Amino acid sequence: MSLQLGDTAPDFTLDSTAGTVRFHDYAGSHWVVFFSHPKDFTPVCTTELGAFASRKAEFDARNTRLIGLSVDSVADHQGWAQDVADVGGTALNYPLLADPELEVAKLYGMFHPKADPKVTVRSVFVIDPQKKVRLILTYPPSAGRNVDEVLRVLDSLQLTDGRKLTTPVDWQPGDDVIIAPSVSDEDARRLYPDGWRTLKPYLRLVPAPAA
C-alpha cells in the first residue's frame, strides 16, 4: 500500500552524492522535502535540481532539509552535477540518492509502472520532525514542479501545526487564515478576543499569527 498522510516515513539507507545516507538520521529534528527524479541527464530534472539548489537557503530558513532521489548511480549523479550547476547557477548542495533497484522508489510509491515502467514519477513528500508524512504531491515525468508551491505549503503546514487553523485557497504568508470548524464561537472568542471576519458561519477569518 502506498504511503498516506500521517504515516511514519520509512527509514532507509542508500548511497548518495553526499555519501551513505540513513534517512531518519539525516532528517534529525528537521522538516524534510524528499523528491524523486525520473532520470539523470534529462532536461526537466536538470532544471528542477538547479532550482532547489539555488533556493536552498529558503528551505534552511524553514528548518527544512532537501533530499532527492533518482534511479541512476552515484557516479552518474556526480557527472550530472556540473550540468545542474550550469543550468541553475548553483552547485548541487543537498544529497541526491542513488536507487538503481527502485528499492526506495517502490517503498515510497514513487514508481508508477503504468506511467513509465523504467523510471520514477516526480513525487514530493514533506515530512515533519516527528517523521510523519504531511504532504504528498505527484507530477508526471513531463511536468516540472513548482518550488514556490512547495514553499507555500510548507509555510502553511508550519504555521498551522499545533494550532486550530487552516489556510484558504491561494493562501500566501501574511494572508488571513481560517479558524477551524471544530472551534466553537465561544472558544474562538477566548482565542481571538479581537474578533474575526465571518463569510459563512463555518468560514471565519483571522489575521495569521506570528510564525
Side-chain angles (χ1 to χ4, degrees), residues 81-102:
Q82 186 58 57
D83 290 355
V84 171
D86 291 344
V87 171
T90 303
L92 187 64
N93 49 18
Y94 52 84
L96 182 58
L97 300 163
D99 190 25
E101 303 302 320
L102 295 169

Side-chain angles (χ1 to χ4, degrees), residues 114-135:
K114 292 181 180 178
D116 193 307
K118 295 180 180 179
V119 298
T120 68
V121 292
R122 300 184 192 281
S123 296
V124 181
F125 295 86
V126 173
I127 298 161
D128 71 18
Q130 288 71 48
K131 313 296 188 296
K132 299 297 184 183
V133 177
R134 302 292 298 276
L135 171 76

Side-chain angles (χ1 to χ4, degrees), residues 156 159-160 163-168 171 176-181 205:
S156 172
L159 179 70
T160 60
R163 297 182 171 112
K164 293 181 178 180
L165 295 171
T166 59
T167 55
W171 178 86
D176 287 352
V177 295
I178 298 170
I179 302 171
L205 297 168

Side-chain angles (χ1 to χ4, degrees), residues 41-54 80-92:
F41 299 102
T42 55
V44 177
C45 295
T46 303
T47 64
E48 290 183 320
L49 283 172
F52 277 103
S54 68
W80 185 30
Q82 186 58 57
D83 290 355
V84 171
D86 291 344
V87 171
T90 303
L92 187 64

